[in-house]
Every structure is written in structure tokens, then in C-alpha cells.
Amino acid sequence: THPWQQVIPYTDRLNYCSSFINNVAYTKTVEKMLGIEAPPKAKWARMILSEFSRIMDHCVCNGSTLVDAGALTNFWYFFQIREEIYGLLESVTGARLTVSGTRIGGLIQDLPPDFMERCRRLLEIIPEFVEDVEKLIYKNRIWLDRAVGIAAISGAEAVDRGWTGPCLRASGVDYDVRRDHPYDYYDELDFDVPVLHGGDVHDRFRQRMMEIRESSKIIRQLLDRGMPEGPHIVDDPHVALPPKE
């Protein structure tokens, strides 16, 4: 019932904790079908915004887990990170939660002039909040009693149930699409894929904390490479809409 471009808002809602990643997955799929490739600037920005979205998603998951375990203070630390990242997404897309930030062939619009400055500021403030949470809980007996050994899932069970991402890796399965089937510039970057083996609430929490740091490492490397020159979307009238003016 909808043209390809108009499907993008639906992909936001597949996981609105990190909607931009779903935008990227869908648009890359359609681009592959069409035999087109987004310009370097679009691929670079997609990776940065995806990694920030991944950090934000981990913050929501871990913050909500701690609230359910009775630790409210940490929730605000995590959600401050989320709020700051929302500011970056809003500067690029005009939206915060369901951003619809990509287009087939590129991005919704060109990046704002202060994009890199905003990104670097986020990389400065995120570690402090993460460290504050870790200091509050990693030796907290209440948290440990409510997380260690709770809801443990083995690697075989995780695979059988179709688990992916940090939940899969926290169960001991060493698999990450960014490394094992790299796309865009991931094969040119240096980052680790943390793997834990307990498969319980505690390891799923720790897994996300480690992955926040790896995502920050990825973003920093992309920023150090510099923003690519050129357009934010392909120059193809069959795919890209003309400028509004």
C-alpha cells in the first residue's frame, strides 16, 4: 500500500528504543535490491547515529532493569545519556523517538554544521554517567542477589530461540554482524566484541555496559577520520526526491 520510501516510518516502530538502526537496516536492504549505494557521507553518518542509538538502547534496557530491581537513581543517570543523544538525533532528523532519519540512497537531509562538535561532546559526557552507575551497583548486595544466576539462558537455548545482539553474546555466543558480516566501514575499524558466558540478568547487564564503551570507540574512530565530502543522498531522480524548493 506504500512506496518504498514511505515504509521507513514503520521501521521506527519495530524498536523505538533505537529506531534509527531499523531505518538503516531497511534502507540498506532496499538499496541492495536496487543496486545502488549511499554516498560516503551518508554511510559515515549512518554508522555514527546507529552507534549512538545502540548506546541509547542499552541505557534504556539497563536503566529499566535496575528500576525493576529497586535501583531508581541509576535510571536517571542512564536516561540523561538518552536525553543528550536525543538532542543529536533531533538536530539531524527533526524528531527524537521515531526519527525516520534515513532515505533510500542516503539521509533525510544534510548534517547540521555542528554535527561533529555535538558528537564529540557526547563522547565526553557518556563515560561519567556509565561509571557512576557501575560504582553504585557492581558491589551492591541487593543488585547482585537479584541479578546473578537469575533467568540464565544457555548459548544453545539463545540460538534456538533466535536471540540476537547483547542477549546472545551474554550467553557465550561470539557473534556480531558488524564483525562477521561487515558493512559500510566496520571492517576498517578497530573494536572488540565482548562475550560473557553466564547468560543471566547480571551478564546481560554487563554485556550492554561493555558494548556502550565499544560503540563509543567506534564513533571516536569515525570522527577522527573526518566527515566525508559530498552529498547526503544519491543523485538519482528515480530514488531521491528533489529539494523542497
Side-chain angles (χ1 to χ4, degrees):
T1 60
H2 291 73
W4 295 108
Q5 295 280 25
Q6 292 183 14
V7 176
I8 295 169
Y10 296 120
T11 68
D12 286 315
R13 289 151 178 81
L14 296 172
N15 175 10
Y16 50 78
C17 291
S18 51
S19 59
F20 188 86
I21 297 178
N22 294 291
N23 298 166
V24 173
Y26 169 71
T27 51
K28 283 186 68 65
T29 302
V30 178
E31 288 163 4
K32 186 176 181 180
M33 292 167 61
L34 292 173
I36 62 174
E37 186 172 349
K41 180 190 280 189
K43 293 196 290 185
W44 177 83
R46 284 178 179 182
M47 289 178 67
I48 290 175
L49 293 172
S50 290
E51 293 302 328
F52 272 127
S53 296
R54 193 184 311 277
I55 290 172
M56 183 168 62
D57 196 315
H58 290 350
C59 288
V60 173
C61 290
N62 279 1
S64 302
T65 297
L66 287 170
V67 167
D68 288 345
L72 182 61
T73 302
N74 307 273
F75 181 82
W76 305 124
Y77 289 153
F78 275 134
F79 268 60
Q80 185 61 39
I81 296 174
R82 182 189 190 216
E83 183 65 26
E84 298 287 350
I85 295 174
Y86 270 166
L88 175 67
L89 288 167
E90 189 173 20
S91 74
V92 176
T93 69
R96 291 160 57 85
L97 183 68
T98 49
V99 294
S100 300
T102 64
R103 292 293 180 268
I104 296 163
L107 298 170
I108 182 175
Q109 59 189 2
D110 209 347
L111 299 172
D114 62 347
F115 179 77
M116 292 185 68
E117 179 185 335
R118 282 175 172 269
C119 292
R120 290 198 184 277
R121 177 180 172 273
L122 283 171
L123 292 180
E124 289 177 4
I125 67 173
I126 288 172
E128 181 181 354
F129 288 108
V130 172
E131 289 163 12
D132 283 346
V133 171
E134 290 178 334
K135 289 174 186 175
L136 281 168
I137 65 160
Y138 274 163
K139 295 182 180 179
N140 185 299
R141 174 48 52 193
I142 299 173
W143 163 247
L144 295 175
D145 287 346
R146 295 178 180 182
V148 176
I150 304 300
I153 303 292
S154 70
E157 286 178 299
V159 171
D160 189 52
R161 298 180 185 189
W163 277 21
T164 60
C167 291
L168 180 68
R169 291 185 285 274
S171 292
V173 181
D174 185 10
Y175 181 76
D176 189 314
V177 172
R178 295 169 297 172
R179 181 199 63 195
D180 298 322
H181 302 282
Y183 53 94
D184 294 339
Y185 304 126
Y186 280 110
D187 57 348
E188 302 173 15
L189 303 178
D190 176 29
F191 65 98
D192 297 320
V193 177
V195 178
L196 297 173
H197 298 274
D200 57 5
V201 170
H202 193 248
D203 274 5
R204 287 191 284 273
F205 182 94
R206 289 173 55 218
Q207 181 74 33
R208 289 186 169 94
M209 297 296 267
M210 291 188 290
E211 292 193 11
I212 286 173
R213 291 188 166 93
E214 293 304 314
S215 289
S216 298
K217 188 191 300 183
I218 289 170
I219 295 166
R220 186 170 288 106
Q221 291 176 70
L222 289 166
L223 292 173
D224 289 345
R225 291 163 66 118
M227 183 188 300
E229 299 289 336
H232 66 280
I233 196 166
V234 293
D235 182 17
D236 184 343
H238 295 98
V239 177
L241 295 172
K244 286 187 177 180
E245 60 269 18

